[in-house]
Amino acid sequence: MTLFEWLQASGIELPTRAEAMEAGVASVLTLAMLAGGVIAGRKLGPHVAALVQRFAIAQGEALHARICAITRHLTAALLLMTLGALWPWEALAGVPIGLALGASMARAGFQLLRGLNLPRWLAWIFAIVCFVALFSREIGGLGPVSRLAEQIGFTVGSRRFSVMLLVTMLVTIVVILAVTRAVTRITEQWIGHARGLDPTQKLLAQKLASIAIVVIAFFFAMDLLEIDLTSLALFSGGFGLAIGFGLQKTIGNLIAGIILLMDRSIKPGDVIALQNEIGWVNKIGVRAVSIITRDGKEHLIPNENLMTQEVENWSYSDRNVRVRIPVSIAYDNDLRLAQELMLRAARESPRVLKSPKPTVWLMGFGDHALQHEILAWISDPESGVGNVRSDVLNRLWFLFKEHGVGLPYPQRDIHIRSLPGGLRHENLDAPISPEP
């Protein structure tokens, strides 16, 4: 008995010649659609990536690197959808179209969700659901799958939760999360390109827009999922009270961050001193302010601390900062020459401003030195203060050496009243100064 006869005897219907030919044509056209998607990904992908970078996301984000792949898979899916709608294909011919369409849409969804930094497991679930739904629809089996999913479930109170409902809720939540993140990225990019706002106003607008988008997405999701918030009033009240106590500090830090951005007392780029730590403000987040010190250490300071504690802001109203450099010279030096050399060393330092001009003050007459202080102004305190002081002192050292200006050495006068063993010196009361 041949295989064909065995299949007929077993009651398995084989496709007719026309159905087989239709399936072959569908397979060839499916390959052509997939090839079209590959070409679109190579030709249009870079242009789409440049367009998205200009209006939606910044270069270097995860989504930017996946734009070409998303373009390829979406184009192939659209072509396959068009192919499926142009002709009433039989179930056998719909198999290759359904496989390719489900795989293309699943891969496009996976790449998009991963580009928006959603968890990998969530992206995989969404991709599997897309593949099953589209493949079943193309071969005419979506109805039975839906009915089976409706039959499997459980009841809680007066509401029944079926597999179909749970899958629908999961897909809805994933889509809303993806749309929320995409809209947030686009809004932040648009605000970042606004020319009429300074950096602080842009950051404040981005924070407020993000909060508004999340709130709108929450109520929209509640409406789509048909969740009655009034029925959860008692539960939500108690839960909200517990969350309020638990997240009291978090909410306080959020409000403190918004207030800091509104009154512009601390903004990104400012140089501040807090608890003997000096650094520049990297960014103001929802919970904390990121401060980077000259040592490369990044400190996360809660927003409330900056609201309640004393903070020294070096660039609040003016970015110019005066640097004090103490210098001492010996008493036997030419005072005017030494002071002129101090001014010259300060003026020749590249980071010292020409206006306001550096000055030299005589601070006092010490035990063995004339005490001076060089006052120099800089406009970039985020680059450090100690390196300016070091540069001026290095220049001053070589200028003092070149012009013969000496530095002071400690001196002590010793008066000898008597020597052991009756030895005496004719000049016992003469001061003896040790050699330096």
Coordinates of all heavy atoms in Angstrom, one line a residue, residues 151-194:
Q151 N -13.5 29.6 27.4 CA -14.1 28.5 28.2 C -13.2 28.2 29.4 O -13.7 27.8 30.4 CB -14.3 27.3 27.4 CG -15.3 27.4 26.3 CD -15.4 26.2 25.4 OE1 -14.7 25.2 25.6 NE2 -16.3 26.2 24.4
I152 N -11.9 28.5 29.3 CA -10.9 28.2 30.3 C -10.8 29.4 31.2 O -10.5 30.5 30.7 CB -9.6 27.8 29.8 CG1 -9.7 26.6 28.9 CG2 -8.6 27.5 30.9 CD1 -8.4 26.2 28.2
G153 N -11.1 29.3 32.5 CA -11.0 30.4 33.4 C -11.5 30.1 34.8 O -11.7 28.9 35.1
F154 N -11.7 31.2 35.6 CA -12.1 31.0 37.0 C -13.0 32.2 37.3 O -13.0 33.2 36.6 CB -11.0 30.9 37.9 CG -10.0 32.0 37.8 CD1 -10.1 33.1 38.7 CD2 -8.9 31.9 36.9 CE1 -9.2 34.2 38.6 CE2 -8.0 33.0 36.8 CZ -8.2 34.1 37.7
T155 N -13.7 32.1 38.4 CA -14.7 33.1 38.8 C -14.3 33.7 40.1 O -14.0 32.9 41.1 CB -16.1 32.6 38.8 OG1 -16.5 32.1 37.6 CG2 -17.1 33.7 39.2
V156 N -14.2 35.0 40.2 CA -13.9 35.7 41.5 C -15.1 36.6 41.8 O -15.3 37.6 41.1 CB -12.6 36.5 41.4 CG1 -12.4 37.2 42.7 CG2 -11.5 35.5 41.2
G157 N -15.9 36.3 42.8 CA -17.1 37.1 43.1 C -18.1 37.0 42.0 O -18.6 35.9 41.7
S158 N -18.4 38.1 41.4 CA -19.4 38.2 40.3 C -18.8 38.3 39.0 O -19.5 38.4 38.0 CB -20.4 39.3 40.6 OG -19.7 40.6 40.6
R159 N -17.5 38.2 38.9 CA -16.8 38.4 37.6 C -16.0 37.2 37.3 O -15.3 36.6 38.1 CB -15.9 39.6 37.7 CG -15.2 39.9 36.3 CD -14.6 41.3 36.3 NE -14.1 41.6 34.9 CZ -13.6 42.8 34.6 NH1 -13.4 43.7 35.5 NH2 -13.1 43.0 33.4
R160 N -16.1 36.8 36.0 CA -15.3 35.6 35.5 C -14.1 36.1 34.8 O -14.1 37.0 33.9 CB -16.2 34.8 34.6 CG -15.5 33.6 34.0 CD -16.4 32.7 33.1 NE -15.7 31.7 32.4 CZ -15.2 30.6 33.0 NH1 -15.3 30.4 34.3 NH2 -14.5 29.7 32.2
F161 N -13.0 35.4 35.1 CA -11.7 35.7 34.5 C -11.3 34.5 33.6 O -11.0 33.5 34.2 CB -10.6 36.0 35.5 CG -10.8 37.2 36.3 CD1 -11.5 37.2 37.5 CD2 -10.3 38.4 35.9 CE1 -11.7 38.4 38.2 CE2 -10.4 39.6 36.6 CZ -11.2 39.6 37.8
S162 N -11.4 34.7 32.3 CA -11.0 33.7 31.4 C -9.6 33.9 30.9 O -9.0 35.0 31.1 CB -12.0 33.6 30.2 OG -12.0 34.8 29.5
V163 N -9.1 32.9 30.2 CA -7.7 33.0 29.7 C -7.7 34.1 28.6 O -6.8 34.9 28.5 CB -7.3 31.7 29.1 CG1 -6.0 31.8 28.3 CG2 -7.2 30.6 30.2
M164 N -8.8 34.2 27.9 CA -8.9 35.2 26.8 C -8.9 36.6 27.5 O -8.2 37.5 27.0 CB -10.2 35.0 26.0 CG -10.4 36.0 24.8 SD -9.1 35.5 23.6 CE -9.4 36.8 22.4
L165 N -9.6 36.8 28.6 CA -9.7 38.1 29.2 C -8.3 38.4 29.8 O -7.8 39.6 29.7 CB -10.7 38.1 30.4 CG -10.8 39.4 31.2 CD1 -11.2 40.5 30.3 CD2 -11.8 39.2 32.3
L166 N -7.6 37.5 30.4 CA -6.3 37.7 31.0 C -5.3 38.1 29.9 O -4.5 39.0 30.1 CB -5.8 36.5 31.8 CG -6.6 36.1 33.0 CD1 -6.1 34.9 33.7 CD2 -6.6 37.3 34.0
V167 N -5.3 37.4 28.8 CA -4.4 37.7 27.7 C -4.7 39.1 27.1 O -3.8 39.9 26.8 CB -4.5 36.6 26.6 CG1 -3.8 37.1 25.3 CG2 -4.0 35.3 27.1
T168 N -6.0 39.4 27.0 CA -6.4 40.7 26.5 C -5.9 41.8 27.5 O -5.4 42.9 27.0 CB -7.9 40.8 26.3 OG1 -8.4 39.8 25.5 CG2 -8.3 42.2 25.8
M169 N -6.1 41.6 28.8 CA -5.6 42.6 29.7 C -4.1 42.7 29.7 O -3.6 43.9 29.7 CB -6.0 42.2 31.1 CG -7.5 42.2 31.4 SD -8.0 41.6 33.0 CE -7.2 42.8 34.1
L170 N -3.4 41.6 29.5 CA -1.9 41.7 29.5 C -1.4 42.4 28.3 O -0.6 43.3 28.3 CB -1.3 40.3 29.5 CG 0.2 40.2 29.4 CD1 0.8 40.9 30.6 CD2 0.6 38.7 29.3
V171 N -2.0 42.1 27.1 CA -1.7 42.8 25.9 C -2.0 44.3 26.0 O -1.2 45.2 25.5 CB -2.4 42.2 24.7 CG1 -2.1 43.0 23.4 CG2 -1.9 40.8 24.5
T172 N -3.1 44.6 26.5 CA -3.5 46.0 26.7 C -2.5 46.8 27.6 O -2.1 47.9 27.3 CB -4.9 46.1 27.3 OG1 -5.9 45.4 26.5 CG2 -5.4 47.6 27.4
I173 N -2.2 46.2 28.7 CA -1.2 46.8 29.6 C 0.2 47.0 28.9 O 0.8 48.1 29.0 CB -1.0 46.0 30.9 CG1 -2.3 46.0 31.7 CG2 0.1 46.5 31.7 CD1 -2.3 45.1 32.9
V174 N 0.6 46.0 28.2 CA 1.9 46.1 27.5 C 1.8 47.2 26.4 O 2.8 48.1 26.3 CB 2.3 44.8 26.8 CG1 3.5 45.0 25.9 CG2 2.5 43.7 27.9
V175 N 0.7 47.3 25.7 CA 0.6 48.3 24.6 C 0.6 49.7 25.3 O 1.2 50.7 24.8 CB -0.7 48.1 23.8 CG1 -0.9 49.3 22.9 CG2 -0.5 46.8 23.0
I176 N -0.2 49.9 26.4 CA -0.2 51.2 27.0 C 1.1 51.6 27.6 O 1.6 52.7 27.5 CB -1.3 51.1 28.2 CG1 -2.7 51.1 27.5 CG2 -1.2 52.4 29.0 CD1 -3.8 51.0 28.5
L177 N 1.9 50.6 28.2 CA 3.2 50.9 28.7 C 4.1 51.4 27.6 O 4.9 52.3 27.7 CB 3.8 49.7 29.4 CG 3.3 49.4 30.8 CD1 3.9 48.1 31.3 CD2 3.6 50.5 31.7
A178 N 4.1 50.6 26.4 CA 4.9 51.0 25.3 C 4.6 52.4 24.8 O 5.4 53.2 24.5 CB 4.8 49.9 24.2
V179 N 3.2 52.6 24.6 CA 2.8 53.9 24.1 C 3.2 55.1 25.1 O 3.7 56.1 24.7 CB 1.3 53.9 23.8 CG1 0.8 55.3 23.5 CG2 1.0 53.0 22.7
T180 N 3.1 54.8 26.4 CA 3.4 55.8 27.4 C 4.9 56.2 27.3 O 5.3 57.3 27.3 CB 3.0 55.3 28.8 OG1 1.6 55.0 28.8 CG2 3.4 56.4 29.8
R181 N 5.7 55.1 27.2 CA 7.2 55.4 27.1 C 7.5 56.1 25.8 O 8.4 57.0 25.8 CB 7.9 54.1 27.3 CG 7.8 53.5 28.7 CD 9.0 52.5 28.9 NE 8.9 52.0 30.3 CZ 9.8 51.3 30.8 NH1 10.9 50.9 30.1 NH2 9.7 50.8 32.1
A182 N 6.9 55.7 24.7 CA 7.2 56.3 23.5 C 6.8 57.8 23.5 O 7.5 58.7 23.0 CB 6.5 55.6 22.3
V183 N 5.6 58.1 24.0 CA 5.1 59.4 24.0 C 6.0 60.3 24.9 O 6.3 61.4 24.7 CB 3.6 59.5 24.4 CG1 3.2 60.9 24.7 CG2 2.7 58.8 23.4
T184 N 6.4 59.7 26.1 CA 7.3 60.4 27.0 C 8.6 60.8 26.3 O 9.1 61.9 26.5 CB 7.5 59.6 28.3 OG1 6.3 59.2 28.9 CG2 8.4 60.3 29.2
R185 N 9.2 59.8 25.6 CA 10.4 60.1 24.9 C 10.3 61.2 23.9 O 11.1 62.1 23.8 CB 10.9 58.8 24.2 CG 11.2 57.6 25.1 CD 12.6 57.8 25.8 NE 12.9 56.7 26.7 CZ 13.4 55.5 26.2 NH1 13.8 55.4 24.9 NH2 13.7 54.6 27.1
I186 N 9.2 61.1 23.1 CA 9.0 62.1 22.1 C 8.7 63.5 22.7 O 9.3 64.5 22.2 CB 7.8 61.7 21.2 CG1 8.1 60.4 20.4 CG2 7.4 62.8 20.2 CD1 6.9 59.9 19.7
T187 N 7.9 63.5 23.8 CA 7.7 64.8 24.4 C 9.0 65.4 25.0 O 9.2 66.6 24.9 CB 6.6 64.6 25.5 OG1 5.5 64.0 25.0 CG2 6.3 66.0 26.2
E188 N 9.8 64.6 25.7 CA 11.0 65.1 26.2 C 12.0 65.6 25.1 O 12.7 66.6 25.3 CB 11.7 64.0 27.0 CG 11.0 63.6 28.3 CD 11.7 62.5 29.1 OE1 12.6 61.9 28.5 OE2 11.3 62.2 30.2
Q189 N 12.0 64.9 24.0 CA 12.8 65.3 22.9 C 12.3 66.7 22.3 O 13.1 67.6 22.0 CB 12.8 64.3 21.8 CG 13.9 64.5 20.7 CD 15.3 64.2 21.1 OE1 15.5 63.8 22.3 NE2 16.2 64.3 20.3
W190 N 11.0 66.8 22.2 CA 10.5 68.1 21.7 C 10.8 69.2 22.6 O 11.2 70.3 22.2 CB 9.0 67.9 21.4 CG 8.7 67.2 20.2 CD1 9.5 66.7 19.2 CD2 7.4 66.7 19.8 NE1 8.9 66.0 18.3 CE2 7.5 66.0 18.5 CE3 6.1 66.9 20.3 CZ2 6.5 65.5 17.9 CZ3 5.0 66.3 19.6 CH2 5.2 65.6 18.4
I191 N 10.6 69.0 23.9 CA 10.9 70.0 24.9 C 12.3 70.4 24.9 O 12.7 71.5 25.0 CB 10.4 69.6 26.3 CG1 8.8 69.5 26.3 CG2 10.8 70.6 27.3 CD1 8.3 68.9 27.6
G192 N 13.2 69.3 24.8 CA 14.6 69.6 24.7 C 15.1 70.4 23.6 O 16.1 71.1 23.7
H193 N 14.3 70.4 22.5 CA 14.7 71.2 21.3 C 14.0 72.6 21.3 O 14.3 73.3 20.4 CB 14.3 70.5 20.0 CG 15.2 69.3 19.8 ND1 14.8 68.3 18.9 CD2 16.4 68.9 20.3 CE1 15.8 67.3 18.8 NE2 16.7 67.7 19.7
A194 N 13.2 72.9 22.3 CA 12.6 74.2 22.4 C 13.6 75.3 22.6 O 14.5 75.2 23.5 CB 11.5 74.2 23.5

